[in-house]
Structures are given as structure tokens and as C-alpha cells.
């Protein structure tokens, strides 16, 4: 059963890149609240608030019941790559929150998978040998989840996956076997839809700069193995099509979530397609910041002769949204996700158990609410 978690903050208020080619893949329709537009809307729409609050309360109560015991518990955290901006925000918040819940800093070990599954698998083996009490894993490859789950479950260690969602069959296995394994994250289809809607909301007359009745765009993708990248790519464009707009994909390339790679991809695309490019979709903000560098170097102006959207709500990107140099972004709530992951870990340690999927909402960010989000993340 899926559980929607209230956002903690919101409740409180080639050339080297591989060319992937344009076009959609067949995936199930998004079941999201794509109509939500503001922080207030989202706060009001947390239909799972009660369940989420209960889960959080359960973690608090369990932590209280355990007294100082959490201080003796060992937590192993595997991050796919430390040099990823968003995962840096996530892991910093995760560590702080674990400490605030009673874990001792010296018992929290966070390791860098360096974007290499073999490296990460070795780190998981070490954590198992060290007999940690719980593992929180951001897998390098989601497709390795089955192997990871098997060895962690066999070692009798509860497991919380974060950020990179294993596939449905894998999640079903946890439920079928009653294993202490869960996933905490957002539904990337919602973030893609929000990106597309921000472009739709500008209106065809504004976005269709060459007046041919078609929206010409380029797409800069994150890691193609990652469901976040796949869904954002698909659902951003789908939102345009669903609004009745005709689209034309001029270029679709992989920037691996990295600013530098995106900068060169977009610089080359601008060189090749020039003024034909009306919209630049980036699967995350780091790449949107790279795209912006390329756009400015090419003498183009966001909001006037090109439009640019990202995801994550990095503070630098929020400053750009406020300044009008980015059209919009989508808040990827690392506070809510890291706190829910830690709460799930505490529940496992205390034998309380968890749902097999713990979700969270994205928030659409335009000039209207960027300051509000910036105040939260800064
Ligand atoms: C996404 C995030 C990206 C990147 C990726 C890593 O949710 O938007 O910026 O961090 O996770 O898996």
C-alpha cells in the first residue's frame, strides 16, 4: 500500500554524452496531483497527512521508548555519488536528523559509491561484516536492488532504499516475503508533469517564439538508468501534449545530472539549432545551471527568447527563478525524504515496521513562490 507523507516543511507552513534520441516510451499514466501549484495548495492536499504523522509519531514514540539505545545503534548509509549536488543536500540533512533523533555521530557511517556499483557493493559487504543495525541505500544502479536486497535480508539487517526506486517486481518481493525493506522517495512523474505545466502556463503565444504553432525543445537527461530521469523526460513533454500543444524534439541527450556535461550539450545544441530552440528541459537543476551558462554565452535571454526549467530547487536555481534567468524549477523535498528515511530506519530498529513505499510530494516553483522555497532551503 502506498503512503503519502506530508512534507515536513510544508506542513509547518556527450558531446561526449550519449544521444538518446527524442520521443516517448510507454509507461503507465501518472497518478499525481499535477494541478497543485502553490505551497499552500500542496500543504492543503496532503491526503496522507494523518498516516504520515502517525508514522512519524510512531518513530518518535519508539525512539523515546528506546531511550538512549539509539546512541548505540550503527547506521550504514550508501550514497551513489558524493559529487551530486542534490544528494549532498540529502545526506547532510539525513545525518543531522539522525543525530537529532538520538544516534551518535560516530555510529553513522556515510560512504561514497563514486557512481560505481562494484564499489558500492563492496561497501555494503563491509557494512554487513560490521553488523550495522540498519542500512540506508541510494543504489548506484536500481537494477542491482534484487542482489542488494538478498544479501542484506540474509544478513538480518533492515533496509531503507532512498532516491532511486527499485522496480515494482522488486518492491512486491519485499511485501510478499514480509521483509524489513522499504523505499522512501517522490514520484518522478509528478516532477516531469510540473515542468511541462510551467511551460504550458506561459501560453502558446509566449513560448512559440517562431510562431509556427509548434513548441521546439531540447531535453537534457540525467542518468538514463534512473527512473527519475526517465519519468521527467517523458512526463514533461506529455504535459505539453496533454494541453493540446504540438511538440518537436530537436535534441535529447544525457548529461548525467552534471552541470558541466549539460553546459556543453546545450552549447552544442544552440550552435546547431540556434533560434529554433524555444524550450530547454533539464532533468535537474545542476544541469539547468549548466544550460543557463550556455544560453547566456550564446547571447540568448531566458524569459525573452528561450525558456528553461529544472528540478530540485537548489538555492542557486531559486535565485535564478527569482531573477527571471530560469523559468521555473520543482522542489525535490530533501528534508521530508531524509527525515522519512531516518524515521523508517528507527521504526525497523524498534520492530515497529513500515509500509513498503513511503512517498512525498514535489512542489512546482515559479517566480511566485521561489522566495518562500528559498527561505526554507537556505
Ligand atoms: C534526483 C535529483 C537529481 C539527482 C538524482 C540522483 O532525484 O533530482 O538531481 O540527485 O536524484 O539519483
Amino acid at each position: 500500500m502506498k503512503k503519502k507523507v506530508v512534507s515536513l516543511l510544508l506542513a509547518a507552513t556527450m558531446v561526449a554524452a550519449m544521444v538518446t534520441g527524442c520521443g516517448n516510451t510507454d509507461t503507465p499514466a501518472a497518478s499525481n496531483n499535477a494541478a497543485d501549484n502553490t505551497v499552500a495548495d500542496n500543504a492543503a492536499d496532503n491526503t496522507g497527512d494523518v498516516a504520515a504523522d502517525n508514522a512519524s509519531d510512531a518513530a518518535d514514540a519508539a525512539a523515546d521508548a528506546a531511550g538512549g539505545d539509539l546512541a548505540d545503534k550503527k547506521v550504514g548509509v550508501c550514497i551513489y555519488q558524493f559529487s551530486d549536488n542534490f544528494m549532498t543536500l540529502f545526506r547532510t540533512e539525513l545525518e543531522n536528523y539522525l543525530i537529532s533523533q538520538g544516534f551518535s555521530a560516530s555510529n553513522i557511517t556515510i560512504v561514497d559509491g563514486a557512481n560505481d556499483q562494484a564499489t558500492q557493493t563492496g561497501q555494503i559487504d563491509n557494512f554487513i561484516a560490521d553488523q550495522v543495525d540498519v542500512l540506508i541505500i541510494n543504489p548506484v544502479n536500481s537494477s542491482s536492488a534484487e542482489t542488494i536486497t538478498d544479501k542484506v535480508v540474509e544478513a538480518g539487517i533492515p533496509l531503507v532504499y532512498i532516491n532511486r526506486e527499485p522496480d515494482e517486481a522488486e518492491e512486491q518481493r519485499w511485501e510478499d516475503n514480509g521483509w524489513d525493506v522499504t523505499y522512501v522517495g517522490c514520484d518522478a512523474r509528478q516532477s516531469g508533469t510540473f515542468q511541462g505545466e510551467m511551460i504550458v502556463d506561459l501560453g502558446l503565444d509566449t513560448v512559440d517564439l517562431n510562431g509556427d504553432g509548434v513548441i521546439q525543445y531540447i531535453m537534457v537527461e540525467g542518468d538514463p538508468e534512473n527512473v527519475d530521469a526517465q519519468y521527467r523526460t517523458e512526463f514533461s513533454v506529455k504535459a505539453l501534449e496533454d494541453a493540446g500543444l504540438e511538440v518537436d524534439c530537436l535534441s535529447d541527450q544525457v548529461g548525467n545530472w552534471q552541470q558541466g556535461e549539460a553546459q556543453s550539450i546545450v552549447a552544442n545544441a544552440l550552435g546547431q539549432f540556434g533560434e529554433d530552440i524555444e524550450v530547454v528541459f533539464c532533468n535537474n537543476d545542476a544541469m539547468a545551471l549548466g544550460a543557463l551558462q550556455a544560453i547566456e554565452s550564446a547571447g540568448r535571454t531566458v524569459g525573452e527568447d528561450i525558456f528553461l526549467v529544472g528540478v530540485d530547487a537548489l538555492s542557486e536555481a531559486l535565485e535564478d527563478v527569482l531573477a527571471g534567468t530560469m523559468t521555473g524549477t520543482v522542489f525535490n523535498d530533501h528534508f521530508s525524504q531524509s527525515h522519512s528515511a531516518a524515521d523508517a530506519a528507527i521504526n525497523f530498529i524498534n520492530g515497529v515496521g513500515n509500509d513498503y513505499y513511503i512517498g512525498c510530494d514535489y512542489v512546482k516553483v515559479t517566480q511566485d513562490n521561489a522566495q518562500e522555497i528559498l527561505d526554507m532551503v537556505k
Side-chain angles (χ1 to χ4, degrees):
M1 187 185 63
K2 294 204 170 189
K3 180 178 67 173
K4 191 192 225 178
V5 167
V6 59
S7 159
L8 299 174
L9 279 169
L10 301 178
T13 51
M14 240 114 53
V15 189
M18 187 171 83
V19 177
T20 63
C22 301
N24 290 344
T25 52
D26 285 336
T27 40
S31 56
N32 55 42
N33 313 315
D36 293 348
N37 192 21
T38 65
V39 173
D41 283 348
N42 270 279
D45 179 56
N46 280 300
T47 51
D49 284 8
V50 176
D53 285 347
N54 287 344
S56 182
D57 289 348
D60 284 349
D64 288 347
D69 285 354
L70 285 179
D72 302 325
K73 301 295 182 194
K74 290 194 272 188
V75 187
V77 182
C78 295
I79 300 296
Y80 94 94
Q81 174 160 244
F82 275 10
S83 66
D84 179 295
N85 305 41
F86 173 73
M87 287 314 301
T88 299
L89 295 173
F90 194 123
R91 79 182 140 95
T92 305
E93 185 61 29
L94 177 62
E95 183 172 19
N96 291 338
Y97 185 76
L98 284 167
I99 292 169
S100 78
Q101 295 303 293
F103 289 93
S104 148
S106 57
N107 283 335
I108 303 167
T109 309
I110 307 182
V111 293
D112 181 3
N115 205 21
D116 180 65
Q117 189 56 59
T119 299
Q120 185 176 72
T121 300
Q123 293 166 335
I124 294 168
D125 290 340
N126 291 339
F127 279 133
I128 290 173
D130 194 31
Q131 295 181 304
V132 293
D133 294 286
V134 65
L135 271 166
I136 299 176
I137 298 181
N138 166 215
V140 173
N141 296 324
S142 309
S143 56
S144 298
E146 186 177 343
T147 315
I148 294 171
T149 303
D150 283 344
K151 65 164 68 185
V152 174
V153 165
E154 200 185 320
I157 299 171
L159 170 56
V160 180
Y161 281 106
I162 53 168
N163 175 258
R164 295 181 155 193
E165 187 174 359
D167 64 25
E168 225 173 286
E170 172 60 8
E171 291 181 349
Q172 192 58 49
R173 241 165 44 96
W174 313 337
E175 189 162 358
D176 292 346
N177 292 289
W179 289 334
D180 276 355
V181 183
T182 187
Y183 170 74
V184 177
C186 304
D187 183 342
R189 288 171 287 200
Q190 186 186 43
S191 53
T193 302
F194 283 171
Q195 287 188 295
E197 286 180 349
M198 287 187 285
I199 298 300
V200 169
D201 288 348
L202 296 171
L204 177 66
D205 289 350
T206 303
V207 185
D208 182 22
L209 295 156
N210 60 14
D212 66 353
V214 178
I215 305 296
Q216 277 86 13
Y217 71 91
I218 63 170
M219 180 70 66
V220 188
E221 295 194 29
D223 173 359
E225 203 258 357
N226 187 319
V227 75
D228 284 7
Q230 293 162 13
Y231 278 152
R232 288 176 192 165
T233 298
E234 178 181 356
F235 283 82
S236 53
V237 175
K238 184 174 182 298
L240 267 60
E241 291 170 333
D242 287 351
L245 298 177
E246 205 179 319
V247 294
D248 178 15
C249 176
L250 299 175
S251 157
D252 183 337
Q253 297 187 54
V254 171
N256 286 309
W257 306 118
Q258 301 291 323
Q259 181 165 350
E261 290 191 41
Q263 184 181 358
S264 55
I265 286 169
V266 175
N268 280 296
L270 286 166
Q272 187 178 353
F273 301 106
E275 292 184 358
D276 287 345
I277 302 175
E278 293 165 334
V279 177
V280 180
F281 285 110
C282 294
N283 282 173
N284 76 347
D285 279 350
M287 298 193 295
L289 293 170
L292 179 57
Q293 289 172 298
I295 286 167
E296 290 180 338
S297 298
R300 303 280 292 273
T301 307
V302 172
E304 285 179 21
D305 58 20
I306 196 161
F307 299 91
L308 171 66
V309 286
V311 175
D312 281 341
L314 299 180
S315 51
E316 215 178 331
L318 290 167
E319 304 272 13
D320 280 314
V321 173
L322 283 169
T325 41
M326 257 179 74
T327 309
T329 183
V330 179
F331 180 37
N332 194 359
D333 190 343
H334 59 281
F335 296 102
S336 178
Q337 292 172 72
S338 58
H339 296 191
S340 293
D343 287 343
I346 293 168
N347 284 341
F348 279 144
I349 285 176
N350 290 300
V352 174
N354 289 289
D355 287 341
Y356 295 95
Y357 178 99
I358 300 172
C360 132
D361 269 323
Y362 285 100
V363 181
K364 203 185 280 187
V365 187
T366 62
Q367 245 174 354
D368 294 343
N369 62 342
Q371 187 62 55
E372 204 178 331
I373 303 291
L374 188 57
D375 292 342
M376 290 181 194
V377 301
K378 260 197 157 171

